[in-house]
Amino acid sequence: MPIVVRIDVELAKRKMSVGEFAERVGLTPANIAVLKNGRAKAVRFSTLEAMCRVLDCQPGDLLEWVEE
């Protein structure tokens, strides 16, 4: 998949657990896992905004395009 989700990298930088992140963003840990594992087909802008707010980062810190 050419879009790589880097949530795990940002969580590790902040020493934040998936559970804490999910709670603060307003998603279930299962939905965070779907995003982290690249199985999501789409991400709402409101979800992306919430993740960036919680992690104090930019969307490009969470999503990366890589050539196949």
Side-chain angles (χ1 to χ4, degrees), residues 2-61:
I3 300 293
V4 177
V5 181
R6 302 265 185 225
I7 293 173
D8 53 344
V9 173
E10 296 302 316
L11 289 177
K13 284 181 186 176
R14 291 157 180 80
K15 297 183 171 92
M16 185 181 295
S17 71
V18 171
E20 178 187 352
F21 179 64
E23 184 178 321
R24 291 177 63 184
V25 171
L27 295 174
T28 65
N31 284 337
I32 297 296
V34 167
L35 287 169
K36 280 180 50 178
N37 296 327
R39 291 181 281 138
K41 299 292 181 197
V43 179
R44 292 180 187 209
F45 280 133
S46 59
T47 301
L48 186 58
E49 177 186 356
M51 292 189 300
C52 288
R53 186 175 4 88
V54 168
L55 295 173
D56 190 28
C57 67
Q58 294 295 312
D61 297 328

